Amino acid sequence: MNLNAISIKNLLRRKTKAAFVLAGLVIGVSTVVGIVSYIEAMTNDINHKLEKFGANILVVPKTENLALSYGGLSLGGVSFEMEEIRQSDLSRVSTIKNAANIAALGPLVLGVARVSSHRVLVAGVDFSAVKILKPWWKLKGAIPEADGIILGAEAARILNLDVGNQLMIGDNNLWVSGILGSTGSQDDQLIFTRLSTAQAIFNKQGRVSMVEVAALCKDCPIDAMVKQISDVLPDARVMAIQQVVKGRMETLSHLKKFSYGVSAVILLIGSLVVLVTMMGSVRERTDELGIFRASGFRKMHIMRIVFMEAAIVSGLAGVFGYFLGYLTTKFGLVIFGGKESAMVHFDINLAGAAIVTALMVGLISSAYPAFMASRMDPNDALRSL
């Protein structure tokens, strides 16, 4: 009878202990797989939401600017040779290497207009891009047509205007088609209209004041995208809003670190279960192992028998644990995240990692029991018969 057959027969003879080790490892592996899969799914979901949470790259005209500000108080500045961005040049952005990572490109035209006795900043925007660049907007009314405007909450209050009212900006008679809910930002002070309308009002056809870019940061470094956009728009200054980008990436990093820490603790507990169970099994088999040693089995043979038993149980635990963890995560996301968020797919790499991890935990935890079994004195074992 070879060593592998001895290991298999011993597992079949001691089904309860084998099942206990198997159950312990399956619970540990499935929990780790579930945590890793859930964190990965939630990371993708968070990434998807954060990618749409406003602009994280700004493209502004290149200028020699001496800003006069201190402590958040702006006293103005001096600008020399400022040239606005040509709208036709923006098509080059679609040619950069990481163009697929751009969620939205929103050109803006800015200008100061006099409305009644007030000077108001008017912004011409692309409202199709605004849906991604400013998803927090709550609009009372509708998106304006070419002769319409949207008022910020504070602008509407100061100008005493409501949806359906008219106002004159220059020679243009415009309708208030909507009013923004309060955002707590500079948007509350502005008047928004279509990009082409603002260009006509301020005589800036074919030019834009600045461009907001919402970049998908998961699969590419933001600094690389800034450089790529700078290369295709050499006459503009491209800046990353580092606080937003770093905050996103740190959030995702903390989630992953937390999952790895919890997984390590669970695997440690699983290894202790295997260690205690295998030590008990070795003590119960003192007579049997002593007979093996007396009949010519070497220490290495005894260790191989114990390791083979651990490898069989651990391998099965890795397979069962992965599928149990996969199904549990899938079911959990449907319940807690809604069906549209259940984006867990079969991952061959994670399945392989689960099996390898289970084998490593089982074999490492069985090392001491195997060593103790190999050192057993056959004389002492036979004397107890």
Side-chain angles (χ1 to χ4, degrees):
M1 184 179 292
N2 59 37
L3 299 180
N4 295 342
I6 293 174
S7 299
I8 294 172
K9 285 185 176 295
N10 181 64
L11 290 175
L12 294 175
R13 191 168 64 250
R14 292 180 170 83
K15 296 184 182 69
T16 302
K17 288 194 176 293
F20 185 75
V21 174
L22 179 65
L25 283 176
V26 166
I27 292 172
V29 172
S30 63
T31 304
V32 171
V33 169
I35 290 175
V36 172
S37 299
Y38 186 80
I39 291 296
E40 188 65 27
M42 296 309 296
T43 297
N44 292 334
D45 185 60
I46 291 171
N47 232 333
H48 180 67
K49 288 183 172 70
L50 288 178
E51 284 163 358
K52 296 184 177 181
F53 195 70
N56 48 31
I57 297 176
L58 292 179
V59 182
V60 298
K62 218 175 238 189
T63 179
E64 298 294 332
N65 186 59
L66 302 177
L68 303 177
S69 62
Y70 183 81
L73 177 64
S74 178
L75 303 177
V78 182
S79 297
F80 303 96
E81 299 179 359
M82 188 180 86
E83 183 178 347
E84 291 180 301
I85 302 168
R86 289 189 295 272
Q87 189 174 352
S88 58
D89 292 344
L90 299 182
S91 60
R92 301 177 193 166
V93 177
S94 63
T95 65
I96 68 173
K97 179 180 179 182
N98 292 104
N101 294 96
I102 295 178
L105 191 72
L108 282 87
V109 170
L110 300 173
V112 178
R114 180 168 289 280
V115 179
S116 300
S117 59
H118 301 280
R119 287 166 58 83
V120 185
L121 185 61
V122 178
V125 300
D126 181 351
F127 284 101
S128 62
V130 163
K131 294 178 182 178
I132 296 177
L133 292 166
K134 301 178 185 291
W136 55 85
W137 272 17
K138 302 297 182 184
L139 181 62
K140 172 191 172 184
I143 298 296
E145 300 296 333
D147 60 346
I149 60 171
I150 292 177
L151 298 177
E154 190 66 12
R157 185 189 67 82
I158 293 174
L159 298 175
N160 194 26
L161 294 171
D162 205 344
V163 176
N165 294 155
Q166 290 180 293
L167 77 162
M168 293 293 295
I169 298 181
D171 298 328
N172 300 271
N173 187 27
L174 302 175
W175 292 84
V176 179
S177 66
I179 296 178
L180 289 178
S182 179
T183 64
S185 70
Q186 61 196 24
D187 293 348
D188 293 344
Q189 316 287 331
L190 272 60
I191 294 177
F192 296 91
T193 186
R194 287 187 174 271
L195 185 67
S196 56
T197 303
Q199 288 173 328
I201 291 173
F202 300 110
N203 195 26
K204 295 183 178 181
Q205 287 83 357
R207 291 176 293 158
V208 297
S209 305
M210 62 183 295
V211 182
E212 294 179 320
V213 182
L216 316 187
C217 312
K218 179 187 176 187
D219 299 319
C220 66
I222 199 71
D223 291 336
M225 291 192 65
V226 169
K227 183 178 185 308
Q228 292 167 20
I229 296 174
S230 298
D231 291 340
V232 297
L233 298 176
D235 296 328
R237 187 158 59 102
V238 185
M239 303 175 294
I241 305 177
Q242 295 290 342
Q243 183 177 3
V244 175
V245 176
K246 289 179 180 178
R248 296 178 184 181
M249 304 317 290
E250 283 181 10
T251 299
L252 302 179
S253 177
H254 290 328
L255 282 173
K256 289 185 177 179
K257 288 178 181 178
F258 173 76
S259 69
Y260 294 150
V262 173
S263 299
V265 172
I266 292 172
L267 289 176
L268 177 61
I269 295 173
S271 65
L272 292 176
V273 171
V274 175
L275 174 63
V276 172
T277 306
M278 294 300 290
M279 282 296 296
S281 177
V282 168
R283 289 195 183 95
E284 288 180 1
R285 298 162 61 190
T286 301
D287 298 343
E288 176 186 336
L289 295 176
I291 293 173
F292 285 156
R293 292 284 286 121
S295 60
F297 280 61
R298 297 182 179 179
K299 293 182 178 181
M300 186 58 64
H301 294 153
I302 301 299
M303 293 183 71
R304 281 184 58 186
I305 291 173
V306 177
F307 278 133
M308 182 58 63
E309 293 174 8
I312 293 172
V313 174
S314 301
L316 291 174
V319 175
F320 295 151
Y322 173 77
F323 283 105
L324 180 60
Y326 168 78
L327 294 174
T328 302
T329 306
K330 190 90 172 175
F331 185 67
L333 283 174
V334 171
I335 294 177
F336 300 110
K339 293 183 179 179
E340 67 280 359
S341 301
M343 299 297 293
V344 181
H345 305 288
F346 179 80
D347 188 345
I348 188 65
N349 294 323
L350 183 57
I355 296 172
V356 171
T357 301
L359 284 170
M360 288 179 61
V361 169
L363 293 176
I364 292 174
S365 302
S366 301
Y368 182 69
F371 176 72
M372 293 299 295
S374 67
R375 293 190 59 186
M376 192 169 294
D377 189 345
N379 295 322
D380 293 339
L382 293 174
R383 218 179 282 124
S384 64
L385 289 176

